[in-house]
Amino acid sequence: MYDSPIQDLIAELSHLPGIGPKGAQRIAFFLLDADAEDVESLAGAIIRAKATVKFCQVCFNATEDEVCRICRDERRDRTKICVVEESKDIVAIERTREFRGLYHVLGGAISPIDNRGPADLHIRELVKRLDDASVTEIILATNPNTEGEVTATYLSRLLGSLGIQITRLASGLPVGGDLEYADEITLGRAFEGRRTVSD
């Protein structure tokens, strides 16, 4: 349909998560219309990030250093570890300013449909972090979808015998949402997390 360089660019962009063929085409033509300096700056940022960003040796968060700044921060509460699927989840939790403990990034969730099982995640490393007995609580903050629920259930069973408190982030209906649009997991969690409103 288009000349080869344009078609190649669209094909590469369509590999990005959340970008379909139309979105890839829109981005491709945006880049073609952009100033050469802006495009070079974007390409340079991608190349630099790929060359310099690695994963923390302790928690597997994305970082430029061997150990990320959160793991190095002595002011963090080292008795609590919040388990998340991806590094981007840490950013979301940090924005709330509610949690001052440490993190552990699994690198995804258990998903048989994607051929990803417990051995493909950083679960072994999480268990090893619990060897020193200083951790008193594990907070499971996996996504509230089927894969996240399966992963949380697996971890709670695996870690339940260690004598550590295992908690799960509360979830439920969003403010302004309609019950008819809520999925089964969200609605079920809303019922589980219900609280008394009057005596």
Side-chain angles (χ1 to χ4, degrees):
M1 182 181 241
Y2 298 109
D3 289 342
S4 183
I6 299 172
Q7 198 59 49
D8 291 346
L9 177 58
I10 292 170
E12 291 302 321
L13 290 169
S14 67
H15 294 316
L16 296 172
I19 306 292
K22 286 187 190 264
Q25 179 178 307
R26 202 172 307 117
I27 294 169
F29 280 99
F30 171 83
L31 292 172
L32 291 172
D33 288 339
D35 292 337
E37 299 83 34
D38 292 339
V39 175
E40 286 172 14
S41 178
L42 173 62
I46 293 169
I47 291 167
R48 277 191 308 280
K50 187 64 181 167
T52 61
V53 174
K54 47 188 159 255
F55 294 99
C56 175
Q57 292 180 350
V58 178
C59 74
F60 299 95
N61 187 14
T63 181
E64 281 187 273
D65 303 309
E66 299 297 317
V67 177
C68 74
R69 85 182 154 73
I70 293 175
C71 287
R72 288 193 319 262
D73 188 347
E74 292 298 325
R75 296 168 299 176
R76 305 292 296 209
D77 181 353
R78 298 185 175 274
T79 66
K80 294 175 173 54
I81 295 179
C82 182
V83 178
V84 297
E85 292 180 25
E86 306 288 347
S87 292
K88 62 187 177 189
D89 301 326
I90 293 177
V91 175
I93 294 170
E94 285 293 290
R95 271 198 303 253
T96 69
R97 299 175 189 234
E98 292 291 325
F99 181 68
R100 294 296 304 155
L102 300 175
Y103 293 94
H104 189 86
V105 180
L106 294 173
I110 296 170
S111 177
I113 214 163
D114 297 319
N115 291 322
R116 191 167 50 239
D120 300 310
L121 306 177
H122 299 295
I123 294 174
R124 208 173 312 110
E125 293 87 348
L126 173 61
V127 173
K128 190 172 181 187
R129 287 180 72 182
L130 305 176
D131 282 348
D132 68 0
S134 63
V135 177
T136 59
E137 182 183 4
I138 296 288
I139 302 160
L140 301 176
T142 54
N143 290 321
N145 55 25
T146 304
E147 293 83 3
E149 291 298 320
V150 167
T151 305
T153 301
Y154 177 86
L155 288 173
S156 62
R157 288 180 180 158
L158 177 71
L159 305 175
S161 62
L162 299 178
I164 297 170
Q165 181 184 16
I166 312 289
T167 59
R168 178 91 167 105
L169 285 188
S171 65
L173 299 170
V175 174
D178 292 332
L179 286 180
E180 65 180 299
Y181 300 119
D183 62 90
E184 299 85 20
I185 292 175
T186 301
L187 200 50
R189 292 292 288 277
F191 269 98
E192 287 173 15
R194 68 189 185 278
R195 56 193 167 91
T196 303
V197 293
S198 61
D199 294 341

